Amino acid sequence: MSIFERYLTVWVGLAMIAGVLIGQGAPWLVQAIAATEVASVNLVVAVLIWAMVYPMMVGVDFGAVAGVARQPKGLLVTLAVNWLIKPFTMAFLAVLFFDHVFAPLISPEDAAQYTAGLILLGAAPCTAMVFVWSQLTKGDATYTLVQVSVNDLVMVVAFAPIVAFLLGVTDLSVPWETLVLATVLYVVLPLGAGLITRRKLGSKAAIDAFSARVKPWSMVGLIATVAILFGLQGETILAKPTVILLIAVPIIIQSYGIFALAYGAAFALKVPHRIAAPCALIGTSNFFELAVAVAISLFGLNSGAALATVVGVLVEVPVMLSLVAFANRTRARFPEPAA
C-alpha cells in the first residue's frame, strides 16, 4: 500500500475537521453545494462517488460474470445477512438503547424518532461506497458488482415491506426517484464508462496500468466526499454533540456485529477473501441517500428520524475504514482463490 493509503484514516480524520470548519467559516459554499440536489441525491457528492467507483469498474470483466454462479456462497451470505438479519437486529438495538438504556436521557417522542431513523438505515444496504471498500481490500470487482446489483434488485421489492413492518406503517411512501437516480449515478454510469475504457485499452496489461494510474483519484474522491458531508452537517454536529453520540452507539455496535457475522460466515464456508471481504462490507455500510430521503419524506427535514440517518453517514466512513484494515490484516487466514 502507498503511504497515502496506509494513513487513509488520518486523512479522513483531517477531512472531517476541515469539513466542519469550512461549514462554519464559509457557509455560502456549503449552501451552494447543498443546492445541487435532485431527488434527495446531492449531485456534487454523486460526482465524487462516481470518481471513486469508476476505477474499480474498469476492473470489471463481463466475461467473468458467469463465474459467479460457480461461487454462490458469497452472494448467499450477503443476501441472508442484509435481508434476513440486518434490519431486525438494527430495530432490536434501537429499541434496546432508546427505550431502555438511554431512556433517562431522552424523551419518549425523540426515542421513537431515533428508532425510526435507525430502522431506515438498517433496511438499506450499501450501493455505491462498497465499491470503494472492495477496492481497498483487493476485492473481486466483477463479483462485487454482481453482489451490489442483486442487492439493488432485492431492495426494490423488499425495502418498503420490511420498513413498513418494523415501523408499523402501512402507507410507507418510498421515493423511487431517489433509488433509481442513485443506482444510475453510482452503478450504471460508472459501469458503462468502465466497459468503454476496457474496450479502448484492449490488453490486460494496459488495463492494469491504467487502473494503477486512476486509483489515487478514488482516494481523493473519498477524502473530498467526507469533507463535504461533514461540511453539510457541521451545524448539526456542533449543535447536538451529545445526541449524535447516543445515536452513534447502536449504529457502531450494529456495524461491527453485522461485519463479524458475515465475515465469520464467509470464513466458515471457505469463501476466498477477494469475495468474503466485499460480501461482509456490503451489509455493514448503508445506502444513506435512500434512508435520509425516506426519513425526510415520512417525518420531516428537522425530525429525529432524519437526524439519525445523518448520523449514520457521519459514523460510516471511520467505521468502514477500521473494518477494511481488519479485513486486510486477516487476508492470509482465508483460502487462496481457485486457479
Side-chain angles (χ1 to χ4, degrees):
M1 292 173 62
S2 66
I3 292 178
F4 185 77
E5 289 177 303
R6 188 175 297 118
Y7 295 102
L8 184 57
T9 304
V10 175
W11 313 137
V12 168
L14 293 175
M16 292 176 179
I17 296 171
V20 174
L21 293 176
I22 292 172
Q24 297 302 300
W28 58 270
L29 178 59
V30 173
Q31 291 167 7
I33 293 173
T36 63
E37 191 171 278
V38 177
S40 299
V41 173
N42 188 281
L43 297 183
V44 174
V45 174
V47 169
L48 290 170
I49 293 179
W50 196 95
M52 285 186 272
V53 171
Y54 168 69
M56 186 170 181
M57 291 303 192
V58 174
V60 172
D61 180 5
F62 277 89
V65 169
V68 172
R70 295 193 295 271
Q71 299 188 69
K73 294 178 181 177
L75 183 58
L76 292 176
V77 169
T78 299
L79 292 174
V81 170
N82 283 355
W83 299 107
L84 300 180
I85 298 173
K86 182 183 177 185
F88 305 98
T89 55
M90 188 74 264
F92 169 78
L93 287 171
V95 170
L96 173 65
F97 279 95
F98 293 122
D99 286 1
H100 301 283
V101 179
F102 298 150
L105 303 176
I106 54 178
S107 69
E109 293 78 14
D110 287 340
Q113 287 281 309
Y114 301 150
T115 297
L118 293 188
I119 286 172
L120 291 171
L121 274 177
C126 187
T127 291
M129 291 294 286
V130 72
F131 291 111
V132 180
W133 314 133
S134 179
Q135 178 177 283
L136 290 173
T137 57
K138 297 181 173 22
D140 184 316
T142 303
Y143 203 101
T144 300
L145 173 65
V146 173
Q147 288 175 308
V148 170
S149 299
V150 172
N151 263 290
D152 284 352
L153 292 175
V154 174
M155 196 178 330
V156 168
V157 297
F159 177 80
I162 288 175
V163 171
F165 170 74
L166 291 174
L167 290 180
V169 177
T170 56
D171 58 346
L172 177 67
S173 175
V174 176
W176 298 110
E177 66 276 12
T178 299
L179 181 57
V180 172
L181 180 60
T183 301
V184 170
L185 288 174
Y186 302 150
V187 180
V188 177
L189 290 180
L191 179 61
L195 178 60
I196 293 171
T197 303
R198 285 182 68 88
R199 286 180 175 175
K200 287 186 174 295
L201 292 172
S203 68
K204 185 179 185 302
I207 291 172
D208 290 343
F210 178 81
S211 296
R213 289 197 302 271
V214 298
K215 185 178 178 181
W217 290 105
S218 180
M219 300 302 99
V220 171
L222 175 61
I223 299 299
T225 300
V226 170
I228 289 175
L229 290 176
F230 274 73
L232 291 171
Q233 303 302 332
E235 198 67 41
T236 301
I237 295 170
L238 297 175
K240 299 181 177 180
T242 303
V243 171
I244 287 172
L245 289 175
L246 294 180
I247 296 172
V249 171
I251 296 176
I252 292 172
I253 293 173
Q254 163 85 348
S255 297
Y256 286 113
I258 287 297
F259 177 85
L261 179 62
Y263 202 55
F267 177 78
L269 293 171
K270 302 187 185 305
V271 175
H273 189 270
R274 59 187 171 80
I275 295 173
C279 152
L281 294 169
I282 288 174
T284 307
S285 55
N286 301 298
F287 187 177
F288 55 80
E289 293 90 353
L290 179 61
V292 171
V294 176
I296 292 172
S297 67
L298 286 178
F299 303 103
L301 180 62
N302 297 316
S303 65
L307 176 62
T309 58
V310 168
V311 175
V313 180
L314 304 180
V315 169
E316 177 163 322
V317 174
V319 167
M320 294 304 294
L321 286 174
S322 71
L323 292 174
V324 164
F326 177 80
N328 285 332
R329 285 197 302 270
T330 55
R331 179 181 287 108
R333 296 178 179 272
F334 282 73
E336 292 294 324

